[in-house]
Structure formats: C-alpha cells, structure tokens
C-alpha cells in the first residue's frame, strides 16, 4: 500500500509540470442525430502542405483541443469512416487570436464514398482514452488472418501463455463483451472465436462502472465489430493460410437503405498451434518415487464454422434490431510423446518403463443464438431508453478425452477414455434508462438478468491389459446439473462542474446457484445479495489534458469446471478434478490515468493497484505413481501494484513508433500450505516496440520486438522470453485488395519454461513453438465497403501444452 501511495503522489506531482496552452478547440457530432463522435481523427495541417503537424481524438462528449501550436495559418480536417470529410482552411493563430473556437462540427454521413484527399498520418494502433484503451484492429498488420487475440498483442500487461490462454495484469479473470453485450463464450475462447477481419477495434475497460456486469476481476475486453454505414450493397471477404496449416475464410455482406439495414456473414476457421514439448517430473506418492520424462510434438486446433445475419430498422426516434447466429465450434488437442519412467520403492526396488504416450482431447458444441433489442430517444439531449433479450442454446456439446500408453511394439499397455455429454442454455435481458437532468448531468438506472444452465453426464472407460479391451467404470459415472441466475439493479449519477467531472455508481446483485450431482456429497446451493460500488473522477488540466482516478469492486464467480467433483484426464499422467467448495473471489481495483498529446505524439501513463481476496488458482499435487492431479483452490490473497506507460511517436513522415511498457509488483499470500505452496513475490515487466513504416503509397512494413519478464505462482515460476515479428502489407486493385505476409518469431527465440517445486512434486516443462510460422492473408472489399465507427499480456500465442 505504501508503494501505491508513493506512485499516486509521484504521478500527481509530475502532472503539474505538463501545463500546456490550448490554441484550437471544437466539438464533433453527427449532423442528423447531434450525437458526439469520439473516434474521428482531428488533423491540423500547415497552409500549403500535406503533412499533419498535430492530430487528436475527441473525448466521449465529442470535445477536442489542440495545444501548443505556434502562430501561423492552418487547415483543419476531421475524418471519420462513414462520413464526409470536414475541412476548414481559414484558421489563423497570432498574438491577437490566441484561441480559435470552431464550435460544433457536424459530420454528414457519406452517400457515395470517401472524399479523395491524401493526408500523411498513420492510424494509431492504440488509442488512449481516460476510461479505456482502444486497440485499432486494422493498424496491426500481424493480426491479419488471426483473431481478437492477435489484435491485442501490443497492449501493455497482456500476456498469452503457451496454450493460448490470455491473461491481463496477471489474471485470466476478464469478461469479454461483443458490441457492449457479454459474449457467448468466456475468456480466451471468446477472443479466439472472432476473426480479426470482422473487428473494427477492441476496448479494454479496467475499472468498469456500475452499468456493467461485475464479473471479471481485471475488467472488460469489449470487441467492436465492423458495421457498414453507407447506402447500397457492400461487403468483404477474407482468406488466410499459414505454414502451421491454419486456414480460414470469412465474409460479411451488408445493405443499407435509408431506414433499414441488413447483413449476413459467415466464418470457416481452423487455427492450429504446434509445439515441441518436453517435461521432466518427479512425484512422491506414499513410498513410491517416480521420475518421468516425456518428449514429443503437441498440436491444438481452435475451430469455428458459423453463419450470422441481422436486421435493423430505424424510425425517427426508435430503432429495432434482430441478430441471429448459428454454428459449430470448439477445440481439439493431441500429443504423441516418448514417455520414460523410473519407479523406486522405499526398499530400493526399481522398475523401468519405456512407452509411447498418445492423448486426444475434443471439446465441441453446436450453438444457436439470437438477440432482439430496441433503443428509444425521447429527445436529442441524451434522454434514452434501451432494452434487449438474448437467448443461446448449446446442443451436441461434448468434451472427450482419450489417453493411451503403448510399448515400442505398438501394443496398448494402459489407457482410458472419457465423455462429458451436456447441453447448455444461456439467457440475458436488460432494460436501461438515461435521464439528463441538466446539460452536463445525467442519472442512469436499469435492471439486468442473467441465467446459465448446464445439464449432462460423465462416463469413463479403462483398458484391461489382460482382456485387451476397454471396460466401463461404473464407480466413476456421474450426472450433473448446474444453474445460476443473477438479478441486478444499478444506479449512476454523473455531472461536471468547471474543470471537475465525476461519476458515482452502485450496483446490487442477487446470485442464486445450484450444483447437483450423482455424488450427493458434492451438492451445493448458494444464495447471496451484494453491493458493488464504482467511482470515476476526472480533472481537466490546462491545455486540454486530463487526469482520471477510478475505483470499482468486482467478483469472480466459480464456473462449473471449477466445481466438478469427478476426475478427468488431460493425458495418461495428468488428471484434473473440481472443487465444489470453491469460493468467490472479491477484487478491489484502483487506477489513475493520464494522457498527453504533444503534436502528433501521444504519451500515456496508468498507475494501478488491485487486491484480490480468496484468489482461485489451479494447484498440482501427486495423485498416483507418476500421475499428477490438478484442482482448483482458494489459495489466499494477492496484490498487484504497477504502472503502464505508452509512447506513440511519429518519428518521420513515414515512420511511426509505438513503445509500450509495464511493470508491476505482485505478491501472493498463500493460505493453502497443504499443496506445498508458499508466499511469493515477483517483479513483472514487459516491453514491446512496434515500428510501422510506409515503404510506398500502397506498401507498409511492421516490425515488432517483444520481451516478457518472469512471473510466479504459489507453486513455482515461469521464465522470461523474447521474440520478434515481421509483417508486410501490399494494397492492390485500387486498395480493394490487401495482401499481408507475416512472420512470427523471426529468430526462433521464443521458449516457454515453467517450474513447479513442492515437497512431493518437482516439474519442469519446456515448450518450443514449431518454426517457421508464416501467414498469408488476403482481404477484398467490394462496392466501397466502409465501416461505421462506434462509440488486454502480449500475444505470445506461439506454444501448445502449458497445462501438462
């Protein structure tokens, strides 16, 4: 806590030195609806030149300010995709005209395409707003042909482990939203399922207000999808393939006719990850010590085959929308390893084994989902009422495990198979109201309901080496029923007074959770009502810069796989079991943000502190001779205190640099000593350097450097590693066709090394991604497809096998 107070004090004192002089200001709104546009590029150009000398983005209310501009004559341009270009060529700054107020800048929607004006200003990869970070999808060439995970690669404090699991500020407990609504899937799976070609940008909200669900201990990752805004029929098609045999195609077709818009799209995607896996493990169970070594290839495939369609109709004050989607998606994983072991008993007898270990895992689901919604504007002053209803059914849902040990002659020695067959229902409804009681003040309130049900059974077969056949284990068979519902109400008041802004919120949630199992000892029922406050405070500094302080209380509720009271197997020597007594995590998050525009350059800093009670962590213990068992437990409390800094520099007319760095001190107070864990502290840091160079009018090159520092858990640590990526994009056919060639881990330097060290378990896992990983992506737009503007660990997505 002392460290936090020092950082906050230092940040506040430092900010007083950044006083700047505002020279030009205005407000950007949509002409027809008078609603603010906060994603427009505001660009200032000297008279007679085409190079931008300053640019900025409006605040959420549409206001913008350009500061520290020398006297002279200028032209101002405001561009937003889907709108006509705004120009103002008579701006004069001198001693008698120190501040130019442009007033309201009304942007008119395009009817026939973008105006043909060339301005030299690269699109920023990361846009820093005071309450969120906005990751521009199209600015990252290495994301072409990938998913949302790839787009996040230059975001401070985001990591992706060797199995593609995303963590942010050391936690995987983030919520994923799509266009402001919670995703069908959760966590990393949700990010992997969305093609990068369908994404306009990604928002990272680290201290959400009371309007949002409280799930996700480090906040919300909100994915904004592309939406066509021009009249007529338009669309896009994306193709991708890689040396790992990843492949995919997706399309989006949309038509806008004045008051009505419809769209249809589809995805066929298989994202393969291949690695060389090696693990050395020593377990002690009773009087048997087992030393094992496994070595060989591992492969995984995240796949999705889906179709979607939607319709929207706009009346003068009310908009209705319907969205439908159906598909088949999931993940497979398999390994083909050489497995050697030595078992020694207390009396000194030793037995040796030399096997081939094969394991297969298949998690898939056929899903159907739909949303209906409306938005009503009582007036043009922000007096709104919105509502929506969402329903999803997941059928044919199966989780299948198979693991076998063969001798060198190819004869099966041991093996087991497991099936978890289930169906799932998800329902969500909300009604939200906003009342502006004066020009700068508003009151918000609403009701939201969420329900999830999962029902199924689990069965397992073991190999009988004498009869040479599989047999059912009736003692393991288990049925399960899991349901929880959350009723939520919230209220927010927000206002501004001179240079001070505030937003205060309170959210109340009642949770009802039921777990039923054929193992009656594991039956649980949970009922609780809780409050979750949020506070956001802002202060406008001289020169248009702003500082924001925020706080929110959040929760991580156990999912079903945290609580399943039966054993499953990842491979022959790695078992898992849930914990029906797992408790909620409670998180308190504090953050101070500051952003400064210096001409075309942007400097941003965030200081944060997060405390988490009853931290949920996967623990590994010996189970049988040579076999480990993973389970979930509330291991204690942890604390993260750190700083994130980003600099975006336009080094030359054609060369842009993004430097992102994060550092945080992490401490775990372990209260689960039975696992051999202990209190741990670590200093975690990451640095990414992104270079983007325009090699020609239609050619861009991107070179990224990434360094990832070490990290710790209650049972061990993960070593640091580094890698470099390279990408080239060429635009063809009057910019309708984009071809991108990317090369990940150019120098084959990425190495994942994880150590676990307890009194009865020692394990070292080493993973090296297959090399080379080269991807070619093609993107074609037709009939002038343009997107309509809406209102985070590094992607070290190179490895496969970290949970083994």
């Amino acid at each position: 806590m002392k460290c936090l107070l020092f950082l906050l004090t230092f940040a506040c004192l430092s900010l007083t030195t950044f006083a700047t002089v505002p020279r030009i200001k205005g407000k950007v709104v949509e002409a027809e609806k008078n609603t603010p546009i906060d994603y427009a590029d505001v660009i200032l150009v000297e008279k007679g030149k085409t190079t931008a000398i300053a640019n900025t983005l409006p605040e959420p209310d549409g206001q913008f300010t350009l500061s520290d501009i020398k006297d002279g004559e200028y032209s101002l341009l405001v561009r937003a995709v889907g709108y006509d270009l705004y120009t103002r060529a008579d701006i004069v700054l001198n001693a008698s005209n120190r501040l130019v107020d442009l007033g309201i800048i009304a942007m008119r929607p395009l009817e026939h395409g973008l105006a043909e004006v060339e301005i030299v200003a690269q699109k920023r990869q990361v846009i820093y707003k005071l309450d969120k970070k906005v990751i521009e999808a199209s600015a990252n060439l290495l994301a072409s042909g990938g998913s949302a995970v790839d787009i996040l690669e230059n975001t401070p404090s985001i990591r992706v482990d060797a199995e593609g699991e995303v963590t942010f500020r050391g936690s995987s407990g983030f919520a994923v939203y799509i266009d402001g609504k919670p995703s069908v899937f959760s966590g990393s799976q949700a990010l992997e399922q969305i093609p990068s070609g369908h994404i306009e940008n990604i928002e990272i909200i680290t201290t959400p207000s009371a309007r949002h669900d409280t799930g996700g201990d480090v906040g919300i990752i909100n994915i904004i999808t592309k939406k066509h805004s021009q009249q007529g029929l338009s669309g896009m098609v994306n193709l991708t393939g890689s040396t790992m045999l990843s492949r995919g195609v997706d399309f989006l077709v949309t038509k806008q006719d004045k008051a009505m818009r419809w769209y249809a799209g589809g995805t066929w995607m298989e994202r393969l990850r291949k690695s060389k896996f090696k693990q050395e493990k020593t377990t002690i169970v009773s009087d048997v010590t087992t030393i094992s070594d496994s070595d060989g290839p591992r492969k995984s495939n995240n796949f999705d085959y889906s179709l979607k369609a939607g319709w929207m109709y706009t009346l003068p004050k009310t908009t209705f929308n319907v969205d439908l989607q159906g598909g088949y998606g999931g993940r497979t994983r398999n390994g083909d390893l050489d497995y050697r072991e030595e078992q020694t008993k207390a009396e000194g007898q030793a037995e040796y084994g030399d096997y081939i270990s094969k394991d297969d895992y298949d998690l898939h689901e056929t899903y159907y989902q739909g949303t209906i919604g409306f938005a009503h504007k009582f007036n043009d002053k922000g007096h709104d009422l919105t509502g929506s209803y969402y329903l999803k059914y997941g059928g044919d849902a199966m989780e299948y495990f198979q693991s076998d040990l063969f001798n060198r002659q190819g004869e099966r020695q041991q093996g087991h198979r497991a099936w978890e067959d289930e169906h799932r229902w998800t329902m969500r409804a909300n009604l939200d109201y906003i009342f502006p009681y004066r020009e700068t003040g508003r009151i918000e309130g609403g009701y939201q309901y969420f329900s999830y049900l999962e029902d199924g059974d689990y069965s397992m077969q073991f190999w009988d080496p004498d009869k040479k056949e599989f047999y059912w284990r009736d003692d393991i068979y288990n049925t399960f029923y899991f349901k929880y519902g959350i009723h939520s109400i919230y209220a927010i008041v927000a206002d501004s007074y001179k240079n001070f802004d505030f937003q205060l919120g309170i959210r109340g949630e009642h949770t009802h959770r039921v777990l039923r199992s054929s193992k009656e000892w594991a039956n649980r029922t949970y009922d609780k009502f809780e409050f979750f406050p949020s506070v956001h405070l802002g202060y406008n500094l001289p020169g248009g810069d702003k500082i924001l302080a925020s706080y929110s209380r959040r929760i991580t509720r156990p999912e079903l796989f945290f609580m399943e009271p039966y054993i499953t197997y990842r491979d022959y020597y790695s078992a898992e079991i849930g914990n029906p007594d797992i408790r909620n995590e409670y998180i308190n998050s504090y953050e101070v943000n500051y952003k400064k525009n210096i001409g075309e350059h942007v400097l941003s800093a965030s200081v944060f502190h997060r405390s988490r009670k009853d931290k949920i962590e996967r623990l590994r213990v010996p189970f049988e001779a040579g076999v480990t068992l993973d389970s979930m437990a509330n291991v204690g409390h942890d604390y993260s205190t750190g700083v994130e800094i980003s600099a975006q520099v336009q080094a030359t007319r054609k060369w842009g640099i993004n430097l992102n760095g994060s550092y945080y001190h992490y401490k775990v107070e372990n209260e689960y000593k039975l696992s051999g864990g202990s209190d741990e502290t670590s200093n975690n840091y990451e640095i990414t350097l992104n270079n983007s160079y325009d090699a020609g009018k239609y050619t861009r090159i991107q070179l990224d450097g990434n360094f990832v520092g070490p990290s710790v858990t209650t049972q061990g640590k993960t070593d640091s590693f580094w890698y470099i990526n390279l990408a080239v994009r060429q635009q063809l056919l009057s910019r309708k066709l984009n071809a991108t060639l990317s090369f990940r881990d150019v120098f084959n330097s990425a190495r994942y090394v994880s150590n676990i060290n307890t009194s009865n378990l020692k394990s070292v896992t080493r993973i090296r991604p297959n090399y080379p990983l080269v991807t070619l992506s093609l993107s074609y737009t037709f009939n002038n497809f343009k997107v309509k503007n809406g209102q985070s660990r590094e992607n070290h997505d190179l490895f496969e096998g970290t949970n083994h």
Side-chain angles (χ1 to χ4, degrees):
M1 194 64 186
K2 292 180 180 179
C3 180
L4 173 65
L5 293 174
F6 171 77
L7 289 171
L8 293 176
T9 303
F10 177 77
C12 292
L13 290 175
S14 299
L15 294 176
T16 62
T17 67
F18 288 113
T20 56
V21 179
R23 302 301 306 272
I24 302 171
K25 68 177 184 178
K27 182 176 182 179
V28 183
V29 301
E30 185 174 357
E32 296 179 357
K33 300 179 181 179
N34 200 36
T35 55
I37 299 176
D38 65 346
Y39 280 84
D41 278 314
V42 180
I43 303 168
L44 190 67
V45 181
E46 284 190 88
K47 184 178 180 179
K49 298 183 179 180
T50 60
T51 302
I53 66 163
N55 68 334
T56 189
L57 293 161
E59 295 300 321
D61 62 358
Q63 301 276 357
F64 70 88
T65 303
L66 293 170
S67 304
D68 295 332
I69 308 299
K70 64 182 181 180
D71 290 348
E73 297 183 40
Y74 299 94
S75 296
L76 185 87
L77 302 97
V78 181
R79 63 182 183 187
V81 180
Y83 295 89
D84 270 326
L85 184 73
Y86 171 89
T87 60
R88 176 77 176 267
D90 58 347
I91 299 175
V92 179
L93 297 175
N94 52 40
S96 60
N97 196 23
R98 304 295 300 172
L99 176 64
V100 174
D101 187 352
L102 300 176
I104 299 294
I105 297 176
M107 304 292 288
R108 299 190 177 280
L110 279 170
E111 296 295 337
H112 303 291
L114 289 174
E116 295 296 328
V117 178
E118 286 290 331
I119 296 296
V120 181
Q122 292 192 5
K123 196 170 187 179
R124 299 174 185 171
Q125 284 198 354
V126 184
I127 300 170
Y128 284 84
K129 293 185 173 292
L130 289 170
D131 58 343
K132 60 191 172 187
K133 299 179 182 72
V134 182
I135 316 300
E136 290 285 356
S138 62
N140 188 351
L141 305 188
L142 286 155
S144 299
S147 68
V149 174
D150 300 282
I151 296 173
L152 291 168
E153 67 180 342
N154 287 321
T155 306
S157 297
I158 286 187
R159 290 187 177 188
V160 178
D161 73 11
E163 257 190 346
E165 296 297 320
V166 179
T167 59
F168 179 49
R169 293 179 179 173
S171 172
S172 59
F174 54 85
V176 177
Y177 281 36
I178 299 176
D179 293 324
K181 299 180 177 62
S183 168
V184 179
F185 302 101
S186 62
S188 302
Q189 184 183 8
L191 299 176
E192 287 273 19
Q193 295 292 329
I194 305 175
S196 60
H198 285 204
I199 300 173
E200 171 64 10
N201 55 56
I202 300 178
E203 300 175 344
I204 298 179
I205 308 170
T206 51
T207 52
S209 70
R211 182 187 309 108
H212 300 287
D213 290 354
T214 55
D217 61 3
V218 288
I220 293 170
I221 295 178
N222 183 32
I223 297 172
I224 307 298
T225 59
K226 292 180 177 178
K227 301 174 183 66
H228 177 62
S229 63
Q230 297 176 201
Q231 298 296 312
L233 181 69
S234 297
M236 66 176 183
V237 179
N238 302 299
L239 300 170
T240 185
S242 80
T243 54
M244 294 296 118
L245 299 183
S246 292
R247 56 267 189 186
V249 57
D250 60 82
F251 72 93
L252 182 62
V253 179
T254 182
K255 186 175 183 181
Q256 179 83 43
D257 290 325
K258 294 185 178 179
M260 185 172 66
R261 179 177 71 87
W262 64 262
Y263 71 88
T267 299
W268 184 90
M269 178 181 67
E270 294 184 353
R271 290 173 51 81
L272 277 72
R273 186 182 298 111
K274 300 178 181 179
S275 290
K276 297 177 179 64
F277 176 89
K278 183 176 178 59
Q279 186 175 75
E280 301 158 0
K281 185 163 56 177
T282 300
T283 61
I284 302 174
V285 179
S286 299
D287 61 345
V288 179
T289 299
T290 302
I291 301 175
S292 64
D293 180 275
S294 53
D295 188 359
R298 301 205 68 89
K299 181 176 69 173
S300 69
N301 179 18
N302 288 281
F303 60 90
D304 182 56
Y305 320 114
S306 62
L307 294 172
K308 63 180 181 180
W311 171 85
M312 182 174 70
Y313 190 79
T314 303
L315 298 171
K317 290 190 175 182
T318 307
T319 299
F320 301 94
N321 69 280
V322 178
D323 299 280
L324 301 172
Q325 184 175 3
Y328 175 75
R331 181 181 186 183
T332 62
R333 182 186 65 239
N334 60 71
D336 189 355
L337 311 177
D338 290 326
Y339 178 72
R340 295 163 294 277
E341 69 176 16
E342 175 187 342
Q343 291 188 358
T344 305
K345 297 184 178 180
E347 56 269 23
Q349 297 175 338
E351 296 180 0
Y352 301 91
D354 188 3
Y355 305 101
I356 297 173
S357 171
K358 294 181 180 290
D359 60 270
D360 287 283
Y361 171 79
D362 183 3
L363 172 66
H364 62 256
E365 177 186 55
T366 301
Y367 60 91
Y368 308 93
Q369 62 184 25
T371 302
I372 58 174
F374 76 93
H376 179 73
K377 294 182 175 296
F378 294 97
N379 54 40
D380 294 330
K381 298 180 180 180
H383 189 190
D384 301 334
L385 177 67
T386 59
S388 67
Y389 176 81
Y390 164 83
L391 183 67
K392 178 213 173 225
Y393 172 70
D396 185 32
M398 173 67 74
E399 191 168 6
Y400 172 73
F401 304 82
Q402 178 178 336
S403 59
D404 298 287
L405 285 181
F406 296 88
N407 62 22
R408 291 298 169 176
Q409 289 72 45
E411 299 168 330
R412 182 184 280 109
Q413 303 296 297
Q414 299 289 345
H416 38 58
R417 299 172 178 175
W419 293 262
E420 189 171 282
D421 193 4
E422 59 203 21
H423 68 268
R424 308 167 182 140
W425 286 94
T426 306
M427 192 267 281
R428 179 179 295 274
N430 68 281
L431 189 65
D432 304 285
Y433 178 71
I434 301 176
F435 175 71
Y437 59 85
R438 65 177 191 145
E439 184 177 355
T440 60
R442 71 182 189 277
I443 296 174
E444 299 182 35
Y447 166 79
Q448 298 168 1
Y449 176 70
F450 174 79
S451 175
Y452 177 80
L453 183 149
E454 189 169 332
D455 191 4
D457 63 3
Y458 178 79
S459 54
M460 195 168 185
Q461 289 182 335
F462 274 71
W463 177 255
D464 186 332
D466 295 327
K467 296 182 178 180
K468 298 188 181 304
E469 64 181 20
F470 284 97
Y471 65 95
W472 292 102
R473 285 282 302 271
D474 294 334
D475 58 315
I476 292 180
Y477 178 78
N478 185 77
T479 61
F480 58 87
Y481 174 89
F482 178 73
K483 181 180 180 180
Y484 72 92
I486 303 173
H487 294 270
S488 307
I489 55 173
Y490 72 91
I492 294 173
V493 59
D495 208 335
S496 300
Y497 179 73
K498 293 185 177 180
N499 292 330
F500 179 72
D501 305 321
F502 73 88
Q503 178 181 284
L504 307 177
I506 187 71
R507 185 181 182 93
E509 293 189 345
H510 177 265
T511 304
H512 175 73
R513 185 174 68 226
V514 176
L515 174 64
R516 294 289 180 265
S517 168
S518 52
K519 298 182 183 300
E520 295 185 1
W521 61 268
N523 292 346
R524 300 290 188 274
T525 302
Y526 175 91
D527 277 285
K528 193 170 185 179
F529 184 84
E530 300 171 280
F531 287 103
F532 298 89
S534 67
V535 178
H536 293 75
L537 305 174
Y539 186 77
N540 297 294
L541 298 168
D545 298 330
K546 192 170 185 178
I547 184 171
L548 178 79
S550 56
Y551 162 78
S552 68
R553 182 173 186 256
R554 304 190 64 75
I555 186 173
T556 299
R557 297 179 176 89
E559 300 180 46
L560 175 59
F561 75 89
F562 289 9
M563 307 172 69
E564 293 170 334
Y566 47 86
I567 292 176
T568 61
Y569 285 80
R570 298 181 64 84
D571 52 46
Y572 187 76
Y573 41 84
S574 303
E576 296 177 333
I577 190 171
N579 177 3
D581 292 315
I582 200 82
R583 300 186 301 276
N584 299 330
E585 290 180 340
Y586 291 96
I587 304 96
N588 290 285
S589 296
Y590 308 82
E591 190 161 338
V592 175
N593 297 292
Y594 176 74
K595 182 191 71 173
K596 179 175 180 61
N597 294 311
I598 308 173
E600 293 182 75
H601 317 304
V602 179
L603 177 65
S604 175
S606 300
V607 179
F608 64 89
H609 176 76
R610 185 183 79 240
S611 64
R612 177 166 48 180
K613 178 183 178 183
D614 289 332
K615 169 182 168 61
I616 298 174
E617 186 172 300
R618 183 185 299 275
L619 298 180
R620 179 168 292 179
V621 297
F623 177 52
E624 296 174 346
V627 180
T628 56
L629 178 66
D630 290 357
S631 182
M632 309 301 292
N634 297 102
V635 298
H637 312 311
D638 71 349
Y639 308 88
S640 299
T641 304
V643 60
E644 296 169 349
I645 297 177
S646 176
Q648 300 182 51
V649 178
Q650 194 66 39
T652 69
R653 183 171 176 266
K654 297 183 177 182
W655 180 24
I657 301 173
N658 287 271
L659 177 63
N660 296 314
S662 67
Y663 170 89
Y664 65 93
H665 178 75
Y666 181 67
K667 178 181 178 182
V668 181
E669 295 179 352
N670 183 32
E671 298 180 356
Y672 202 84
K673 307 296 184 182
L674 295 178
S675 67
S678 60
D679 294 350
E680 295 285 351
T681 62
S682 68
N683 296 310
N684 301 269
Y685 47 92
E686 296 119 25
I687 299 174
T688 65
L689 177 63
N690 168 270
N691 294 270
S692 182
Y693 182 76
D694 289 333
K697 187 175 183 180
Y698 303 112
T699 306
R700 177 167 292 180
I701 300 172
Q702 182 175 319
L703 180 68
D704 292 353
N706 303 268
F707 176 81
V708 185
S711 61
V712 301
T713 68
T714 58
Q715 290 190 308
K717 65 177 183 177
T718 301
D719 293 353
S720 62
F721 61 93
W722 65 275
Y723 62 94
I724 290 175
N725 299 326
L726 174 67
V728 180
R729 183 181 68 191
Q730 181 69 41
Q731 295 180 318
L732 306 164
L733 303 179
S734 301
R735 294 184 173 178
K736 292 182 180 294
L737 177 65
N738 286 333
T740 304
L741 186 68
S742 64
F743 192 167
R744 289 188 175 273
D745 190 20
V746 174
F747 298 107
N748 195 21
S749 60
R751 301 291 186 274
Y752 178 87
V753 181
S754 175
N755 294 270
I756 295 177
N757 193 346
T758 69
S759 60
N760 52 10
L761 170 64
K762 290 179 172 48
S763 174
V764 180
T765 303
R766 296 180 174 88
I767 303 173
R768 179 178 178 179
N770 282 17
Y771 181 87
L773 176 51
V774 180
T775 302
L776 175 64
S777 301
L778 301 175
S779 178
Y780 181 77
T781 61
F782 57 90
N783 289 355
N784 203 27
F785 180 87
K786 300 294 179 184
V787 294
K788 181 177 180 179
N789 285 289
Q791 299 287 337
S792 315
R793 240 183 233 268
E794 297 307 313
N795 175 16
H796 318 302
D797 189 7
L798 301 166
F799 314 92
E800 166 57 35
T802 52
N803 286 340
H804 294 264

